[in-house]
Amino acid sequence: AQTVTQSQPEMSVQEAETVTLSCTYDTSENNYYLFWYKQPPSRQMILVIRQEAYKQQNATENRFSVNFQKAAKSFSLKISDSQLGDTAMYFCAFMKLGTNAGKSTFGDGTTLTVKP
Amino acid sequence: GAVVSQHPSWVICKSGTSVKIECRSLDFQATTMFWYRQFPKQSLMLMATSNEGSKATYEQGVEKDKFLINHASLTLSTLTVTSAHPEDSSFYICQGQTNYGYTFGSGTRLTVV
């Protein structure tokens, strides 16, 4: 079974600054995806970024980037130039491939507040 | 992009009644749909996996007779909470599998009174 740990229940950052959210996971699988999702107060789950485990290059989506350390089983999210609209709960998630592909395991989430 | 339409967005029902939640894939065929449950300020917990034309696979601890899942077509999966009780009050969200990834519905807030 997989586990995902987000050790920061709450974080805050000043607008325009940079913040990093931590995520570690435990798995014996070799092929998997990792995700960061954003859940604003509307509770709609929004995909922020995806990382394929077989790719060594860290994924980047505009102001969002990850630091993927496969050996250390670490997958942190960096948000640059934070905006008020980034205020939300952020979930790190693990998805295995192969048999039972698509089933995701989520961390407990980090509530991020961007302060003006 | 791929869209999953989930209805209703919120529902209040009386204890003992049943509630049906629908998830429709609007622009793709969802052969697989995942159903999650989320309590306030907590994580998403996978309840079951539904596959079109076959029985759903439930996670350990989820009562299959209480949470009936039907996936009769490639564009519609439903979750019925039968004989609902206040402890079933929660946020339910579906996630459809597309050819390019996975997309969430907008969720249903169920309150049982």
Side-chain angles (χ1 to χ4, degrees), chain A residues 33 35 37 39 41-47 50 89 91 95-97 100-109 111, chain B residues 32 34 36 38-46 49 57 59 90-91 93 95 97 100-102 104-107 109:
Chain A
Y33 289 163
F35 301 85
Y37 291 100
Q39 189 179 43
S42 68
R43 303 191 79 171
Q44 170 74 57
M45 293 289 285
I46 301 167
L47 175 65
R50 182 177 89 173
M89 196 159 187
F91 290 98
M95 178 188 288
K96 64 173 289 188
L97 302 178
N100 292 325
K103 295 173 66 171
S104 297
T105 302
F106 290 81
D108 287 338
T111 299
Chain B
T32 300
F34 302 98
Y36 294 90
Q38 184 184 30
F39 290 106
K41 298 192 176 181
Q42 293 189 22
S43 187
L44 279 71
M45 299 299 295
L46 180 65
T49 303
T57 303
E59 296 299 303
S90 189
F91 188 71
I93 189 166
Q95 183 190 33
Q97 181 176 5
Y100 306 102
Y102 302 83
F104 284 93
S106 54
R109 182 173 300 180

Short mmCIF file of all heavy atoms in Angstrom, two decimals, chain A residues 33 35 37 39 41-47 50 89 91 95-97 100-109 111, chain B residues 32 34 36 38-46 49 57 59 90-91 93 95 97 100-102 104-107 109:
data_model
loop_
_atom_site.label_atom_id
_atom_site.label_comp_id
_atom_site.label_asym_id
_atom_site.label_seq_id
_atom_site.Cartn_x
_atom_site.Cartn_y
_atom_site.Cartn_z
N TYR A 33 2.57 7.97 -11.11
CA TYR A 33 2.48 9.41 -11.30
C TYR A 33 2.37 10.06 -9.92
O TYR A 33 1.84 9.46 -8.98
CB TYR A 33 1.23 9.80 -12.09
CG TYR A 33 1.23 9.46 -13.56
CD1 TYR A 33 0.03 9.45 -14.28
CD2 TYR A 33 2.38 9.15 -14.24
CE1 TYR A 33 0.00 9.15 -15.62
CE2 TYR A 33 2.37 8.83 -15.59
CZ TYR A 33 1.17 8.84 -16.27
OH TYR A 33 1.14 8.53 -17.61
N PHE A 35 1.02 13.88 -8.28
CA PHE A 35 0.23 15.05 -8.62
C PHE A 35 0.21 16.04 -7.45
O PHE A 35 0.33 15.65 -6.29
CB PHE A 35 -1.24 14.68 -8.88
CG PHE A 35 -1.47 13.69 -9.99
CD1 PHE A 35 -1.40 12.34 -9.76
CD2 PHE A 35 -1.78 14.13 -11.27
CE1 PHE A 35 -1.63 11.42 -10.77
CE2 PHE A 35 -2.00 13.22 -12.30
CZ PHE A 35 -1.93 11.87 -12.04
N TYR A 37 -2.71 18.81 -6.43
CA TYR A 37 -4.02 19.35 -6.72
C TYR A 37 -4.28 20.54 -5.82
O TYR A 37 -3.85 20.58 -4.67
CB TYR A 37 -5.12 18.31 -6.47
CG TYR A 37 -5.14 17.15 -7.44
CD1 TYR A 37 -4.58 15.93 -7.10
CD2 TYR A 37 -5.75 17.28 -8.68
CE1 TYR A 37 -4.62 14.85 -7.98
CE2 TYR A 37 -5.79 16.21 -9.57
CZ TYR A 37 -5.22 15.00 -9.20
OH TYR A 37 -5.26 13.94 -10.08
N GLN A 39 -7.41 22.74 -4.12
CA GLN A 39 -8.83 22.74 -3.81
C GLN A 39 -9.20 24.06 -3.13
O GLN A 39 -8.99 24.24 -1.95
CB GLN A 39 -9.20 21.55 -2.91
CG GLN A 39 -10.71 21.39 -2.74
CD GLN A 39 -11.09 20.20 -1.88
OE1 GLN A 39 -10.49 19.95 -0.84
NE2 GLN A 39 -12.12 19.45 -2.30
N PRO A 41 -11.96 27.14 -1.94
CA PRO A 41 -13.19 27.02 -1.12
C PRO A 41 -14.38 26.41 -1.88
O PRO A 41 -15.26 25.82 -1.27
CB PRO A 41 -13.47 28.47 -0.72
CG PRO A 41 -12.11 29.08 -0.64
CD PRO A 41 -11.34 28.46 -1.79
N SER A 42 -14.40 26.53 -3.19
CA SER A 42 -15.47 25.90 -3.97
C SER A 42 -15.42 24.38 -3.90
O SER A 42 -16.38 23.69 -4.25
CB SER A 42 -15.37 26.34 -5.43
OG SER A 42 -14.20 25.79 -6.02
N ARG A 43 -14.27 23.86 -3.48
CA ARG A 43 -14.01 22.42 -3.33
C ARG A 43 -13.82 21.69 -4.66
O ARG A 43 -13.73 20.47 -4.66
CB ARG A 43 -15.07 21.75 -2.46
CG ARG A 43 -15.18 22.38 -1.08
CD ARG A 43 -16.02 21.60 -0.13
NE ARG A 43 -15.29 20.47 0.43
CZ ARG A 43 -15.74 19.71 1.42
NH1 ARG A 43 -16.93 19.97 1.95
NH2 ARG A 43 -15.04 18.69 1.88
N GLN A 44 -13.77 22.42 -5.75
CA GLN A 44 -13.44 21.80 -7.02
C GLN A 44 -11.97 21.41 -7.00
O GLN A 44 -11.11 22.23 -6.67
CB GLN A 44 -13.70 22.77 -8.18
CG GLN A 44 -13.16 22.30 -9.53
CD GLN A 44 -14.01 21.19 -10.14
OE1 GLN A 44 -15.20 21.35 -10.36
NE2 GLN A 44 -13.37 20.05 -10.43
N MET A 45 -11.67 20.20 -7.34
CA MET A 45 -10.28 19.73 -7.40
C MET A 45 -9.67 20.16 -8.72
O MET A 45 -10.16 19.82 -9.79
CB MET A 45 -10.21 18.21 -7.25
CG MET A 45 -10.63 17.71 -5.89
SD MET A 45 -9.45 18.11 -4.60
CE MET A 45 -8.16 16.91 -4.97
N ILE A 46 -8.57 20.89 -8.65
CA ILE A 46 -7.92 21.42 -9.84
C ILE A 46 -6.52 20.86 -9.91
O ILE A 46 -5.74 20.96 -8.96
CB ILE A 46 -7.86 22.96 -9.77
CG1 ILE A 46 -9.28 23.54 -9.66
CG2 ILE A 46 -7.15 23.53 -11.00
CD1 ILE A 46 -9.30 25.00 -9.27
N LEU A 47 -6.18 20.27 -11.03
CA LEU A 47 -4.84 19.75 -11.23
C LEU A 47 -3.86 20.90 -11.38
O LEU A 47 -4.03 21.78 -12.22
CB LEU A 47 -4.79 18.86 -12.46
CG LEU A 47 -3.41 18.33 -12.86
CD1 LEU A 47 -2.87 17.40 -11.78
CD2 LEU A 47 -3.47 17.61 -14.20
N ARG A 50 1.68 17.61 -12.75
CA ARG A 50 1.82 16.16 -12.75
C ARG A 50 3.28 15.80 -13.07
O ARG A 50 3.91 16.43 -13.91
CB ARG A 50 0.91 15.53 -13.79
CG ARG A 50 0.96 14.01 -13.83
CD ARG A 50 -0.02 13.44 -14.84
NE ARG A 50 0.55 13.33 -16.17
CZ ARG A 50 -0.06 12.74 -17.18
NH1 ARG A 50 -1.26 12.24 -17.03
NH2 ARG A 50 0.52 12.67 -18.36
N MET A 89 -6.48 24.81 -0.40
CA MET A 89 -5.87 23.62 0.18
C MET A 89 -5.17 22.88 -0.96
O MET A 89 -5.73 22.75 -2.07
CB MET A 89 -6.94 22.74 0.81
CG MET A 89 -6.40 21.69 1.75
SD MET A 89 -7.70 21.13 2.88
CE MET A 89 -6.76 20.09 3.98
N PHE A 91 -3.26 19.37 -2.20
CA PHE A 91 -3.10 17.95 -1.93
C PHE A 91 -2.04 17.37 -2.84
O PHE A 91 -2.04 17.60 -4.05
CB PHE A 91 -4.41 17.19 -2.17
CG PHE A 91 -5.48 17.48 -1.16
CD1 PHE A 91 -6.48 18.41 -1.44
CD2 PHE A 91 -5.49 16.83 0.06
CE1 PHE A 91 -7.47 18.68 -0.52
CE2 PHE A 91 -6.49 17.10 1.00
CZ PHE A 91 -7.47 18.03 0.70
N MET A 95 -0.42 8.08 -7.75
CA MET A 95 -1.24 7.19 -8.56
C MET A 95 -0.35 6.10 -9.15
O MET A 95 0.61 6.40 -9.88
CB MET A 95 -1.93 7.95 -9.69
CG MET A 95 -2.77 7.06 -10.59
SD MET A 95 -3.38 7.95 -12.03
CE MET A 95 -4.63 8.98 -11.25
N LYS A 96 -0.70 4.87 -8.87
CA LYS A 96 0.10 3.79 -9.44
C LYS A 96 -0.35 3.50 -10.85
O LYS A 96 -1.49 3.78 -11.23
CB LYS A 96 -0.01 2.53 -8.57
CG LYS A 96 -1.39 1.93 -8.50
CD LYS A 96 -1.35 0.58 -7.76
CE LYS A 96 -0.67 -0.47 -8.61
NZ LYS A 96 -0.75 -1.83 -8.05
N LEU A 97 0.53 2.94 -11.63
CA LEU A 97 0.21 2.51 -12.98
C LEU A 97 0.16 0.99 -13.01
O LEU A 97 0.38 0.33 -12.00
CB LEU A 97 1.26 3.04 -13.95
CG LEU A 97 1.41 4.57 -13.97
CD1 LEU A 97 2.52 4.97 -14.92
CD2 LEU A 97 0.10 5.21 -14.37
N ASN A 100 -4.72 -2.05 -11.44
CA ASN A 100 -5.44 -1.07 -10.62
C ASN A 100 -4.95 0.36 -10.88
O ASN A 100 -4.90 1.19 -9.96
CB ASN A 100 -5.30 -1.39 -9.13
CG ASN A 100 -6.02 -2.66 -8.74
OD1 ASN A 100 -7.07 -2.97 -9.29
ND2 ASN A 100 -5.44 -3.42 -7.83
N ALA A 101 -4.56 0.63 -12.10
CA ALA A 101 -4.09 1.97 -12.45
C ALA A 101 -5.21 2.98 -12.24
O ALA A 101 -6.39 2.68 -12.47
CB ALA A 101 -3.63 1.99 -13.89
N GLY A 102 -4.82 4.16 -11.82
CA GLY A 102 -5.78 5.23 -11.67
C GLY A 102 -6.20 5.47 -10.23
O GLY A 102 -6.64 6.56 -9.89
N LYS A 103 -6.06 4.48 -9.39
CA LYS A 103 -6.44 4.68 -7.98
C LYS A 103 -5.41 5.59 -7.34
O LYS A 103 -4.22 5.33 -7.41
CB LYS A 103 -6.49 3.34 -7.26
CG LYS A 103 -7.57 2.42 -7.78
CD LYS A 103 -7.49 1.04 -7.15
CE LYS A 103 -7.79 1.05 -5.69
NZ LYS A 103 -7.92 -0.31 -5.14
N SER A 104 -5.90 6.65 -6.72
CA SER A 104 -5.01 7.64 -6.13
C SER A 104 -5.02 7.58 -4.62
O SER A 104 -6.05 7.31 -4.00
CB SER A 104 -5.41 9.04 -6.59
OG SER A 104 -5.27 9.18 -7.99
N THR A 105 -3.87 7.87 -4.06
CA THR A 105 -3.74 8.03 -2.61
C THR A 105 -3.36 9.48 -2.36
O THR A 105 -2.40 9.98 -2.95
CB THR A 105 -2.66 7.10 -2.04
OG1 THR A 105 -3.00 5.75 -2.36
CG2 THR A 105 -2.56 7.26 -0.53
N PHE A 106 -4.10 10.14 -1.48
CA PHE A 106 -3.89 11.55 -1.23
C PHE A 106 -3.25 11.78 0.13
O PHE A 106 -3.49 11.04 1.09
CB PHE A 106 -5.25 12.29 -1.26
CG PHE A 106 -5.85 12.39 -2.63
CD1 PHE A 106 -6.55 11.33 -3.17
CD2 PHE A 106 -5.70 13.53 -3.39
CE1 PHE A 106 -7.11 11.40 -4.43
CE2 PHE A 106 -6.26 13.63 -4.65
CZ PHE A 106 -6.95 12.56 -5.18
N GLY A 107 -2.46 12.83 0.20
CA GLY A 107 -1.98 13.31 1.49
C GLY A 107 -3.09 14.04 2.22
O GLY A 107 -4.19 14.22 1.67
N ASP A 108 -2.81 14.46 3.43
CA ASP A 108 -3.83 15.11 4.25
C ASP A 108 -4.05 16.57 3.87
O ASP A 108 -4.97 17.20 4.39
CB ASP A 108 -3.45 15.02 5.73
CG ASP A 108 -3.63 13.61 6.26
OD1 ASP A 108 -4.41 12.84 5.66
OD2 ASP A 108 -2.99 13.27 7.27
N GLY A 109 -3.20 17.09 3.02
CA GLY A 109 -3.40 18.45 2.54
C GLY A 109 -2.64 19.50 3.33
O GLY A 109 -2.31 19.32 4.51
N THR A 111 -3.06 23.68 3.90
CA THR A 111 -3.85 24.88 3.65
C THR A 111 -2.90 26.05 3.48
O THR A 111 -2.16 26.40 4.40
CB THR A 111 -4.81 25.15 4.82
OG1 THR A 111 -5.70 24.04 4.96
CG2 THR A 111 -5.62 26.41 4.55
N THR B 32 -13.77 4.17 -16.71
CA THR B 32 -13.56 4.00 -15.28
C THR B 32 -13.87 5.30 -14.56
O THR B 32 -13.50 6.37 -15.01
CB THR B 32 -12.10 3.60 -14.98
OG1 THR B 32 -11.80 2.37 -15.64
CG2 THR B 32 -11.87 3.43 -13.49
N PHE B 34 -13.81 6.87 -10.51
CA PHE B 34 -13.46 6.68 -9.10
C PHE B 34 -14.37 7.57 -8.25
O PHE B 34 -14.65 8.71 -8.60
CB PHE B 34 -12.00 7.05 -8.86
CG PHE B 34 -11.03 6.26 -9.69
CD1 PHE B 34 -10.51 6.77 -10.86
CD2 PHE B 34 -10.64 4.99 -9.29
CE1 PHE B 34 -9.63 6.03 -11.64
CE2 PHE B 34 -9.76 4.25 -10.06
CZ PHE B 34 -9.26 4.76 -11.23
N TYR B 36 -14.87 9.25 -4.46
CA TYR B 36 -14.17 9.62 -3.23
C TYR B 36 -15.15 10.27 -2.26
O TYR B 36 -16.17 10.84 -2.64
CB TYR B 36 -13.04 10.61 -3.53
CG TYR B 36 -11.91 10.07 -4.36
CD1 TYR B 36 -11.95 10.15 -5.75
CD2 TYR B 36 -10.80 9.50 -3.77
CE1 TYR B 36 -10.91 9.67 -6.52
CE2 TYR B 36 -9.75 9.01 -4.54
CZ TYR B 36 -9.81 9.10 -5.91
OH TYR B 36 -8.78 8.63 -6.67
N GLN B 38 -14.96 12.99 1.13
CA GLN B 38 -14.08 13.93 1.81
C GLN B 38 -14.83 14.60 2.95
O GLN B 38 -15.86 15.25 2.73
CB GLN B 38 -13.56 14.99 0.84
CG GLN B 38 -12.56 15.95 1.47
CD GLN B 38 -12.13 17.06 0.52
OE1 GLN B 38 -12.88 17.48 -0.35
NE2 GLN B 38 -10.92 17.55 0.70
N PHE B 39 -14.29 14.48 4.16
CA PHE B 39 -14.84 15.20 5.29
C PHE B 39 -14.18 16.58 5.34
O PHE B 39 -13.10 16.77 4.77
CB PHE B 39 -14.59 14.42 6.58
CG PHE B 39 -15.42 13.16 6.67
CD1 PHE B 39 -14.84 11.92 6.49
CD2 PHE B 39 -16.79 13.22 6.90
CE1 PHE B 39 -15.61 10.75 6.55
CE2 PHE B 39 -17.56 12.07 6.96
CZ PHE B 39 -16.96 10.84 6.77
N PRO B 40 -14.83 17.54 6.00
CA PRO B 40 -14.32 18.92 6.01
C PRO B 40 -12.85 18.99 6.43
O PRO B 40 -12.45 18.39 7.44
CB PRO B 40 -15.22 19.62 7.01
CG PRO B 40 -16.51 18.87 6.95
CD PRO B 40 -16.11 17.43 6.73
N LYS B 41 -12.08 19.68 5.63
CA LYS B 41 -10.67 19.93 5.89
C LYS B 41 -9.86 18.64 6.04
O LYS B 41 -8.84 18.61 6.74
CB LYS B 41 -10.50 20.83 7.11
CG LYS B 41 -11.12 22.19 6.93
CD LYS B 41 -10.71 23.16 8.00
CE LYS B 41 -11.29 24.54 7.70
NZ LYS B 41 -10.89 25.54 8.71
N GLN B 42 -10.33 17.60 5.42
CA GLN B 42 -9.60 16.34 5.43
C GLN B 42 -9.30 15.89 4.00
O GLN B 42 -9.68 16.55 3.03
CB GLN B 42 -10.40 15.26 6.18
CG GLN B 42 -10.54 15.53 7.66
CD GLN B 42 -11.14 14.36 8.41
OE1 GLN B 42 -11.10 13.22 7.95
NE2 GLN B 42 -11.73 14.64 9.56
N SER B 43 -8.62 14.79 3.92
CA SER B 43 -8.20 14.30 2.62
C SER B 43 -9.33 13.56 1.90
O SER B 43 -10.39 13.30 2.47
CB SER B 43 -7.01 13.37 2.81
OG SER B 43 -6.47 13.00 1.56
N LEU B 44 -9.08 13.22 0.64
CA LEU B 44 -10.02 12.41 -0.12
C LEU B 44 -9.72 10.95 0.15
O LEU B 44 -8.57 10.51 0.09
CB LEU B 44 -9.87 12.68 -1.62
CG LEU B 44 -10.54 13.92 -2.20
CD1 LEU B 44 -9.85 15.19 -1.76
CD2 LEU B 44 -10.59 13.83 -3.72
N MET B 45 -10.79 10.22 0.40
CA MET B 45 -10.66 8.79 0.64
C MET B 45 -11.39 8.04 -0.47
O MET B 45 -12.59 8.26 -0.68
CB MET B 45 -11.24 8.40 2.00
CG MET B 45 -10.56 9.08 3.17
SD MET B 45 -8.80 8.67 3.30
CE MET B 45 -8.90 6.94 3.65
N LEU B 46 -10.69 7.17 -1.14
CA LEU B 46 -11.29 6.40 -2.22
C LEU B 46 -12.33 5.43 -1.66
O LEU B 46 -12.03 4.67 -0.73
CB LEU B 46 -10.23 5.63 -2.99
CG LEU B 46 -10.71 4.78 -4.15
CD1 LEU B 46 -11.29 5.66 -5.26
CD2 LEU B 46 -9.57 3.93 -4.71
N THR B 49 -14.24 1.95 -7.13
CA THR B 49 -13.90 2.12 -8.54
C THR B 49 -15.00 1.48 -9.37
O THR B 49 -15.34 0.31 -9.15
CB THR B 49 -12.57 1.43 -8.88
OG1 THR B 49 -11.55 1.96 -8.02
CG2 THR B 49 -12.19 1.65 -10.32
N THR B 57 -15.78 -2.02 -7.71
CA THR B 57 -14.84 -2.57 -6.74
C THR B 57 -14.77 -1.61 -5.57
O THR B 57 -14.40 -0.44 -5.74
CB THR B 57 -13.44 -2.73 -7.35
OG1 THR B 57 -13.52 -3.55 -8.51
CG2 THR B 57 -12.49 -3.35 -6.35
N GLU B 59 -13.49 -0.28 -1.78
CA GLU B 59 -12.35 -0.29 -0.89
C GLU B 59 -12.75 -0.93 0.44
O GLU B 59 -13.93 -0.97 0.81
CB GLU B 59 -11.82 1.11 -0.66
CG GLU B 59 -11.27 1.76 -1.91
CD GLU B 59 -10.10 1.01 -2.51
OE1 GLU B 59 -9.10 0.79 -1.80
OE2 GLU B 59 -10.21 0.60 -3.69
N SER B 90 -21.36 14.26 4.05
CA SER B 90 -19.98 14.40 3.60
C SER B 90 -19.97 15.06 2.22
O SER B 90 -21.02 15.41 1.68
CB SER B 90 -19.32 13.02 3.52
OG SER B 90 -17.93 13.12 3.30
N PHE B 91 -18.78 15.20 1.69
CA PHE B 91 -18.59 15.70 0.32
C PHE B 91 -18.17 14.51 -0.52
O PHE B 91 -17.19 13.84 -0.21
CB PHE B 91 -17.52 16.79 0.33
CG PHE B 91 -17.34 17.52 -0.97
CD1 PHE B 91 -18.31 18.39 -1.43
CD2 PHE B 91 -16.19 17.36 -1.73
CE1 PHE B 91 -18.15 19.09 -2.62
CE2 PHE B 91 -16.02 18.04 -2.92
CZ PHE B 91 -16.99 18.91 -3.37
N ILE B 93 -17.12 13.08 -4.32
CA ILE B 93 -16.57 13.59 -5.57
C ILE B 93 -16.15 12.43 -6.46
O ILE B 93 -15.60 11.44 -5.97
CB ILE B 93 -15.39 14.56 -5.28
CG1 ILE B 93 -14.92 15.27 -6.52
CG2 ILE B 93 -14.25 13.85 -4.57
CD1 ILE B 93 -14.02 16.46 -6.22
N GLN B 95 -14.21 11.02 -10.11
CA GLN B 95 -13.05 11.30 -10.96
C GLN B 95 -13.07 10.35 -12.12
O GLN B 95 -13.05 9.13 -11.95
CB GLN B 95 -11.75 11.14 -10.16
CG GLN B 95 -10.48 11.49 -10.93
CD GLN B 95 -9.23 11.07 -10.18
OE1 GLN B 95 -9.22 10.06 -9.47
NE2 GLN B 95 -8.16 11.83 -10.32
N GLN B 97 -11.66 8.69 -15.73
CA GLN B 97 -10.41 8.38 -16.41
C GLN B 97 -10.58 8.68 -17.89
O GLN B 97 -11.46 8.16 -18.55
CB GLN B 97 -10.06 6.91 -16.21
CG GLN B 97 -8.76 6.49 -16.85
CD GLN B 97 -8.40 5.05 -16.54
OE1 GLN B 97 -9.17 4.33 -15.92
NE2 GLN B 97 -7.23 4.62 -16.97
N TYR B 100 -6.18 10.92 -21.58
CA TYR B 100 -5.04 11.78 -21.33
C TYR B 100 -4.78 11.99 -19.84
O TYR B 100 -3.82 12.66 -19.48
CB TYR B 100 -5.26 13.13 -22.01
CG TYR B 100 -5.58 12.98 -23.49
CD1 TYR B 100 -6.89 13.10 -23.95
CD2 TYR B 100 -4.58 12.68 -24.39
CE1 TYR B 100 -7.18 12.93 -25.29
CE2 TYR B 100 -4.86 12.52 -25.73
CZ TYR B 100 -6.16 12.65 -26.18
OH TYR B 100 -6.44 12.48 -27.50
N GLY B 101 -5.63 11.43 -19.03
CA GLY B 101 -5.43 11.64 -17.60
C GLY B 101 -6.71 11.41 -16.84
O GLY B 101 -7.51 10.54 -17.21
N TYR B 102 -6.88 12.20 -15.82
CA TYR B 102 -8.02 12.00 -14.93
C TYR B 102 -8.61 13.36 -14.58
O TYR B 102 -7.87 14.31 -14.32
CB TYR B 102 -7.56 11.28 -13.66
CG TYR B 102 -6.91 9.94 -13.98
CD1 TYR B 102 -5.57 9.87 -14.35
CD2 TYR B 102 -7.64 8.77 -13.94
CE1 TYR B 102 -4.98 8.66 -14.68
CE2 TYR B 102 -7.05 7.55 -14.25
CZ TYR B 102 -5.73 7.50 -14.62
OH TYR B 102 -5.15 6.31 -14.94
N PHE B 104 -11.77 15.52 -12.34
CA PHE B 104 -12.73 15.45 -11.25
C PHE B 104 -14.05 16.11 -11.61
O PHE B 104 -14.09 17.10 -12.36
CB PHE B 104 -12.18 16.15 -10.00
CG PHE B 104 -11.14 15.38 -9.26
CD1 PHE B 104 -9.79 15.56 -9.52
CD2 PHE B 104 -11.51 14.47 -8.27
CE1 PHE B 104 -8.82 14.85 -8.82
CE2 PHE B 104 -10.55 13.76 -7.57
CZ PHE B 104 -9.20 13.95 -7.85
N GLY B 105 -15.13 15.59 -11.02
CA GLY B 105 -16.38 16.31 -11.00
C GLY B 105 -16.28 17.43 -9.98
O GLY B 105 -15.28 17.53 -9.25
N SER B 106 -17.31 18.22 -9.89
CA SER B 106 -17.27 19.39 -9.00
C SER B 106 -17.71 19.05 -7.58
O SER B 106 -17.64 19.91 -6.70
CB SER B 106 -18.15 20.50 -9.56
OG SER B 106 -19.46 20.01 -9.80
N GLY B 107 -18.14 17.81 -7.36
CA GLY B 107 -18.46 17.39 -6.01
C GLY B 107 -19.91 17.60 -5.62
O GLY B 107 -20.62 18.43 -6.19
N ARG B 109 -22.20 18.01 -2.03
CA ARG B 109 -22.24 18.11 -0.57
C ARG B 109 -23.55 17.52 -0.08
O ARG B 109 -24.62 18.04 -0.39
CB ARG B 109 -22.11 19.56 -0.13
CG ARG B 109 -22.10 19.73 1.38
CD ARG B 109 -21.79 21.16 1.76
NE ARG B 109 -20.51 21.58 1.25
CZ ARG B 109 -19.98 22.79 1.42
NH1 ARG B 109 -20.66 23.70 2.07
NH2 ARG B 109 -18.81 23.09 0.93
#
